[in-house]
Structure formats: C-alpha cells, structure tokens
Amino acid sequence: MKKILGIVLLMMFSISVKSQIKIDFEISFKEPQAHYAEVDMNIGGLGGKDYIDLKMPVWAPGSYLVREFSKNVEGFTAAVNGKAAKVQKITKNTWRVFNDGAAAAKIHYRIYAFEVSVRSSFIDDSHAFLSPTGVFMYPDGMIITPTTVKILPFGKWDKVSTGLEPVAGQKFTYYAPDFDILFDSPIEVGNQDVFEFKALGIRHEVAMYGGGNYDKERLKADMAKVVEQSAGIFADNPNKHYTFIVHNNSLPGGSGLEHLNSTVLAAGRNAYNTEKGYKIFHSLVAHEYFHLWNAKRLRPVALGPFDYDKENYTTNLWTAEGFTSYYENKILLRAGIIDQAVFLKDLIRDLENVINTPGTKVQSASSSSFDAWIIEYRPNENSRNSSVSYYSKGEIIGLLMDLEIANATNGAKSLDDVMKAMYQQGNAQKRGYTDAEFKAMVEKISGIDFTVFWKKYIDGTDDIDFEKYFSYAGIQADKEIASPGKPYTGALVKAENTVKVSSVLKDSPAWMHGLNVHDEILALDGSEITREMSNIKSGSIVALETLPVFAKKNIGDEVIISIKRDGLEKKISFILKENPKIHIKADYIDNPGLKQLNVRKRWMGI
C-alpha cells in the first residue's frame, strides 16, 4: 500500500509541476518577402531545472513522411534573467537550453518557409501559412502543456484564420490545451477572403487565399450539403466550429490535409466555374471533412497519441485514407453534387487504375500502409511496378466490403454502420482500433466471416472479383482489352530537349529487353527521333508507341530502337505486343431483382 501511495504521490507531483509550466508563443514577420517568420517562445515555471530540451517535430500527422522540419530553423538563441544562455544542439531536432535553475527562459528562432504544400509552411509578402509542426517547438516530455499563440500580422495584413480557440479580449491570440491540439491547428495570416456558413448548427469558416472565380453563395450551399451528409453517417459532429483554409493557385487538380477541426485545401483558382473543377473542389471538401471522423477520431491505434520524433507505423492506412477516398464519392452522390451515372463512372475509373497498376500484384494494402513512410511520398521510376497506393487500393476494398455487407444483410446494413459503430467504440474506449478489432466489427455488422476477404484483398494481392460484387447491386460489369489491336512497348517517354524514357512497365516488351529509364531515344528502325519530330509538347509524358514513327507498326512487328545511355549509343530490339491494359464496361441493369435494389439503395444511401 505504501509503495502504491508513493507512486500516486509522485504522479500527482509530476502533474502539478507540468501544470505550473507556462508557454507563450509570439509569431511576427520582419522579412516575409524573404519567407521568414520570427518565433519568440517564453517558458515559465521550470522549477529549478538545470536545462530544458526543446524539440521540433520531424513529420506532420496525416502526411506519412519524415520531413525534417528542423532544417528550416535558423538563429536559435536563448536568454535567462535577461542574459544570453548557453545552447547546445544535441540531436537533429533537439536544442538544449541551459537555464541553470532559473524558472523562466526566453527563446527566439527564425523559420524559413518557402514550400508550396498543404503540409508545409509558406510565407511571402502576400500572406503566411503556418503548418504548426514545422513552426512550434515543444519542451521534451511536456506535450500535454497548454500554450497560447499570439500572431502579429505584417503590414496591412488584417486577418487570421485557424481552428484554435481565441483568447477573449486579446486580438489575434489563441489558446491550445496541449501541443497535440496546437500541432493540429494550421494558421493562415493575411488578407484572405473569409466567409461563413452554418451546417447542423455549427459555424464553418472558409478562408480563401489567392483569388478565384468561385461563387460564394453556391459554395456555401453545396459545402453545407457535404457537411450534413458526412455527419449523417456518424450521427454526430464533434466540433464547435470548423475552418477551411483554401489556397487557390494556378495548378490543376488539388490536394488537402486533415486536422481535428480544420483542413487545408489547395485548388485551382480558375476552375470553380467548370463542371470538372467544381467537382474536384467538392471531392476535396468531402474527403477532408470525412477525416474529421475517419483518421482523426476513428483511427488506427498507432495514429495518436503521436510520437513526433519518428515514424508512427500502422497497417491500417487503407481504412484511414483509402476508405476516405471511397466515401468522398458517396458523399457527393448523397449531397446531389454528382448523379448515379457519374458515381459509377468514377468508381470504375478508380478500379481500372488499381487493376492496371502492376504493383497491385506485388504489394498488399496492409503492406502499402506500413511502408507509407518509405514509398508513398517517395515514389521513384519503379514504384508503379512494385507498389500500390493505400489510397487507391483502400478505396476499392471499401467498395467491395460495402457491397458484401449490404448483400449479406439484404440491404439492411452497409459499411456506414461499421464506420459509425467503430467511431462509437473508439469514443468509449478512448483509443484507436487494431486491424483485428476492425475485422471483428465488420463481421458483427454483416453476420458473415471476412477471413477469406482479408486474406485476398487486404493482406494479399489476389485479382479483384469486381463482377461478383457489382452484381450484388444490379450492375453489369465486364472487362475488355482497352486498346485491342494496338501495338505496345510498355515505355513512357518525356520530351524536353531530347526524348527520354521516364518509366518502363513491368513485364512489357521494353521491360523484358532492357530499355531503361533515362535512356535517350535516338531512332526507330533507323528513323531519327527528336523532340520536334515527336510532336510531344515539351515536358509532356506519352507512351513511346504513340510517336509518329510508330504509325505503321503492328502487333508482332520487330522494332530496333537506338538509344544513348551514359553517353554511349546502343540498339535494343523487341517484338511489339498487344497492350494488356483493361477497360471495364459497367452499367445498371434494367430489371434488377428486389434484393439487388435493396442492396443498391443501402449502398448508395439515396
């Protein structure tokens, strides 16, 4: 009893000491045009310690790559009692400040921020985007310490957008109950266009940077529909408020990163008035908002609490990210932003992508998840041959699992019920789930054994029996050769000053006969190939066999390709084959059975 009492007293003392620690940050911008932020960190209540170690995270949750944010730190200094204190860097991301028993220390450092990304900070004379894991240091062992952050906007900047709670009566000052919350709360500073909408009684702020041809009223209405459909799956919205930080730029497509009560999106500024661009934007909104539950609260056990010093491994990103990709389409369908024809078309496109990726026969979804840290964000010329994305494979697993559950229950249940039950279970247990727990819930909801399913599609690399699963919902799906009768090399080339091989697909003629990435293509059967003669726009990537010199070639023809490799010329010959890439034809059948209609209705949720 005395031993236990001693442990309790020690724990209470530890908590008491931590509760006395006071940490305040102040962020200013003396040279935003040079991409710098000034960070002042004041630490009080150190309680007689000889030194304190300050650490910078090495990665950003939601983006599974060690990014080494400490590389952007400059000019780290410390002061104690008004005098310079000794500082020693002891690891790549740890600075030791010797406070010699003083109760307080003042820290200053600069952050260089010039990477355009939803997961990294960027500063110029027009705005500052602060991705917190690359800006704020934390005292080692004190993640649970509360902090305040005061922003001093530069010049005529007059707005701050963040999911952090404002401190009453203090302009541009915010509170975080611990560093996990701080690190999960990006900050936009500048003159962004801010508008709001309410959904389910919750205030949602949209902060638009970079201009754009968006219609605010239309966005308010449709974003609210996306929010409502997402929350409807879980019958709960855990936020008091939510912030969308949107960076509009000149690039096509988009990207996003989820946070606890906010997200950062990158979108094409002039694409909002096109059907494709508008759909892409709302796909981003649906994806990242669905993460409010899936990955942030309904999460694999390894994804929180986080270790910011190193990789946090999980085999379940196929659920955390892949299922989120799957649900973005379902949410857009239910919100009325896409119709049933587009819904099916998009699923088929994504299914074709997985099936036509050679790596899908090499790497499983669980392995792809575990190896995210070394593969997903570090692709090379062979990645398509040796790996599959947990996003794309996870999306297809979600599709198959959803249809299997709906079919097994005659349309009474679906994957929605699994997600909701797992969310409620996680709230009750106050932790993430294991792979076994997720499987157990799928089996409980469906009433059938999923062991073979797991072995084939999650831990294995079996062919996807999509015809069977689509038939459950009254959809006829068949595969065919995408380009029948067309010759195929298996090499992609990129035209810059010369025409060079950019990738070679596994088991293709080019692969089998040794055509390499970076080989410069000089001639085909003696006919010279130059960028101008190839008709390829500079920087574009096309299939080698689409070059004009291949126009009269047929399947079965032998070709001799002259190349230059490492300054030396050589010739490679091979026989052209038919392209094995498949195309899937799918459509809703005219007279589905009652069970098929029940499955389809539950699956789509409309």
Side-chain angles (χ1 to χ4, degrees):
M1 178 63 73
K2 289 182 179 179
K3 183 177 181 180
I4 295 174
L5 180 62
I7 293 173
V8 171
L9 290 172
L10 181 62
M11 290 175 63
M12 291 177 63
F13 175 76
S14 176
I15 293 171
S16 176
V17 168
K18 288 184 178 180
S19 68
Q20 295 172 16
I21 298 290
K22 188 174 185 299
I23 301 176
D24 300 317
F25 289 97
E26 185 175 276
I27 311 295
S28 58
F29 309 92
K30 293 180 181 178
E31 297 181 293
Q33 83 290 347
H35 320 297
Y36 281 97
E38 310 292 327
V39 182
D40 288 290
M41 180 181 187
N42 296 312
I43 309 174
L46 293 178
K49 296 182 67 173
D50 291 331
Y51 65 83
I52 184 169
D53 290 339
L54 300 180
K55 304 178 76 70
M56 176 73 79
V58 303
W59 70 290
S63 181
Y64 307 100
L65 176 68
V66 171
R67 296 182 182 275
E68 309 293 17
F69 293 120
S70 58
K71 67 186 177 184
N72 296 319
V73 175
E74 297 179 23
F76 188 102
T77 59
V80 174
N81 295 325
K83 297 180 180 180
K86 179 184 174 182
V87 174
Q88 180 183 358
K89 193 171 185 183
I90 59 172
T91 73
K92 64 181 180 180
N93 66 320
T94 309
W95 286 257
R96 177 164 291 175
V97 176
F98 293 88
N99 58 303
D100 296 329
K106 294 181 179 292
I107 315 299
H108 176 82
Y109 56 93
R110 308 181 83 201
I111 295 292
Y112 179 73
F114 194 55
E115 181 181 350
V116 178
S117 164
V118 296
R119 62 191 69 86
S120 51
S121 299
F122 180 90
I123 301 169
D124 65 11
D125 58 4
S126 67
H127 81 130
F129 170 63
L130 304 178
S131 183
T133 48
V135 174
F136 299 104
M137 295 189 186
Y138 65 96
D140 190 21
M142 300 183 190
I143 284 288
I144 65 171
T145 306
T147 63
T148 61
V149 177
K150 182 176 183 178
I151 306 294
L152 301 179
F154 175 76
K156 295 183 179 180
W157 296 353
D158 62 0
K159 294 185 181 74
V160 175
S161 299
T162 180
L164 289 170
E165 295 294 330
V167 176
Q170 299 183 45
K171 191 174 183 180
F172 300 144
T173 304
Y174 304 88
Y175 171 79
D178 55 53
F179 277 88
D180 284 319
I181 299 296
L182 178 60
F183 289 151
D184 214 10
S185 304
I187 303 170
E188 176 71 21
V189 189
N191 302 108
Q192 59 270 24
D193 182 19
V194 177
F195 59 91
E196 297 181 356
F197 66 88
K198 275 199 171 184
L200 304 173
I202 296 169
R203 179 176 63 85
H204 292 73
E205 176 183 315
V206 184
M208 291 281 198
Y209 166 77
N213 58 1
Y214 51 87
D215 180 331
K216 292 183 188 179
E217 297 308 314
R218 186 184 181 197
L219 286 183
K220 289 178 186 179
D222 286 340
M223 291 174 77
K225 293 175 186 176
V226 169
V227 166
E228 289 161 359
Q229 291 299 329
S230 301
I233 294 166
F234 299 93
D236 175 53
N237 193 317
N239 287 327
K240 293 190 296 183
H241 57 84
Y242 190 92
T243 302
F244 294 92
I245 296 173
V246 185
H247 293 156
N248 293 311
N249 52 50
S250 61
L251 301 176
S255 60
L257 186 65
E258 70 274 10
H259 296 280
L260 201 63
N261 71 334
S262 63
T263 186
V264 185
L265 308 178
R269 68 166 60 94
N270 294 317
Y272 289 93
N273 64 349
T274 68
E275 182 179 351
K276 180 180 178 181
Y278 195 72
K279 176 173 167 287
I280 288 174
F281 177 73
H282 282 286
S283 292
L284 286 173
V285 172
H287 185 104
E288 302 306 334
Y289 202 83
F290 192 75
H291 270 316
L292 191 158
W293 298 272
N294 196 31
K296 297 309 298 182
R297 292 168 174 85
L298 164 58
R299 68 181 191 275
V301 69
L303 299 186
F306 296 112
D307 184 338
Y308 297 100
D309 258 355
K310 61 184 181 181
E311 296 88 345
N312 292 217
Y313 293 102
T314 176
T315 56
N316 292 103
L317 293 180
W318 58 271
T319 55
E321 290 291 354
F323 279 18
T324 305
S325 294
Y326 171 59
Y327 266 96
E328 71 185 54
N329 288 326
K330 292 186 71 171
I331 290 166
L332 293 191
L333 174 66
R334 295 171 182 180
I337 293 172
I338 62 175
D339 60 22
Q340 292 184 36
V342 173
F343 173 66
L344 182 57
K345 180 182 176 182
D346 287 350
L347 286 175
I348 294 301
R349 177 202 62 208
D350 296 342
L351 176 61
E352 288 177 345
N353 176 53
V354 170
I355 292 174
N356 289 317
T357 298
T360 199
K361 298 294 295 178
V362 177
Q363 186 183 47
S364 69
S366 55
S367 175
S368 174
S369 300
F370 193 84
D371 284 341
W373 299 91
I374 57 174
I375 295 177
E376 179 69 23
Y377 291 93
R378 289 176 176 164
N380 61 25
E381 67 282 350
N382 197 48
S383 294
R384 186 171 174 80
N385 294 320
S386 61
S387 63
V388 64
S389 170
Y390 50 80
Y391 283 91
S392 54
K393 185 65 178 290
E395 176 186 356
I396 302 309
I397 291 171
L399 167 65
L400 304 185
M401 188 179 291
D402 203 359
L403 289 169
E404 188 74 276
I405 295 168
N407 183 68
T409 61
N410 196 26
K413 300 289 183 180
S414 73
L415 188 58
D416 292 10
D417 298 282
V418 174
M419 302 302 283
K420 180 180 177 181
M422 287 300 296
Y423 171 65
Q424 293 172 340
Q425 178 175 290
N427 283 344
Q429 295 177 339
K430 300 187 184 306
R431 64 168 176 83
Y433 59 83
T434 66
D435 188 72
E437 287 173 329
F438 198 93
K439 178 175 178 288
M441 185 63 76
V442 173
E443 293 176 335
K444 178 181 178 181
I445 297 295
S446 67
I448 62 174
D449 187 356
F450 265 78
T451 299
V452 173
F453 184 99
W454 238 258
K455 183 178 179 181
K456 290 173 64 174
Y457 299 126
I458 294 162
D459 296 326
T461 59
D462 286 30
D463 290 337
I464 298 169
D465 191 3
F466 61 87
E467 298 97 334
K468 179 184 78 172
Y469 290 95
F470 275 129
S471 71
Y472 293 158
I475 296 170
Q476 178 69 41
D478 302 288
K479 62 184 176 183
E480 61 185 13
I481 295 296
S483 304
K486 298 293 184 182
Y488 162 74
T489 64
L492 297 180
V493 294
K494 183 175 183 179
E496 292 175 335
N497 294 326
T498 58
V499 178
K500 288 187 175 182
V501 178
S502 61
S503 69
V504 178
L505 290 181
K506 185 180 178 67
D507 296 332
S508 67
W511 167 286
M512 299 300 293
H513 292 274
L515 195 63
N516 289 184
V517 170
H518 305 311
D519 284 349
E520 180 183 342
I521 306 296
L522 301 177
L524 172 72
D525 292 342
S527 297
E528 184 182 11
I529 296 176
T530 65
R531 186 184 72 78
E532 292 75 14
M533 295 169 62
S534 70
N535 292 335
I536 308 175
K537 183 180 178 181
S538 181
S540 297
I541 297 176
V542 301
L544 175 60
E545 61 270 16
T546 63
L547 300 186
V549 293
F550 278 86
K552 296 183 180 180
K553 296 295 182 181
N554 298 302
I555 295 171
D557 287 351
E558 181 180 14
V559 295
I560 300 174
I561 298 177
S562 300
I563 66 165
K564 182 185 287 186
R565 181 185 297 168
D566 192 28
L568 302 176
E569 294 187 14
K570 66 178 296 184
K571 293 181 180 179
I572 294 175
S573 65
F574 53 78
I575 305 296
L576 293 174
K577 295 183 179 180
E578 185 174 57
N579 194 333
K581 183 178 180 180
I582 73 157
H583 169 64
I584 298 172
K585 295 192 302 182
D587 205 353
Y588 304 98
I589 62 177
D590 292 332
N591 298 298
L594 179 59
K595 183 176 181 180
Q596 290 175 317
L597 283 174
N598 289 338
V599 169
R600 186 188 298 178
K601 182 178 179 180
R602 183 63 184 174
W603 170 50
M604 291 183 172
I606 58 173

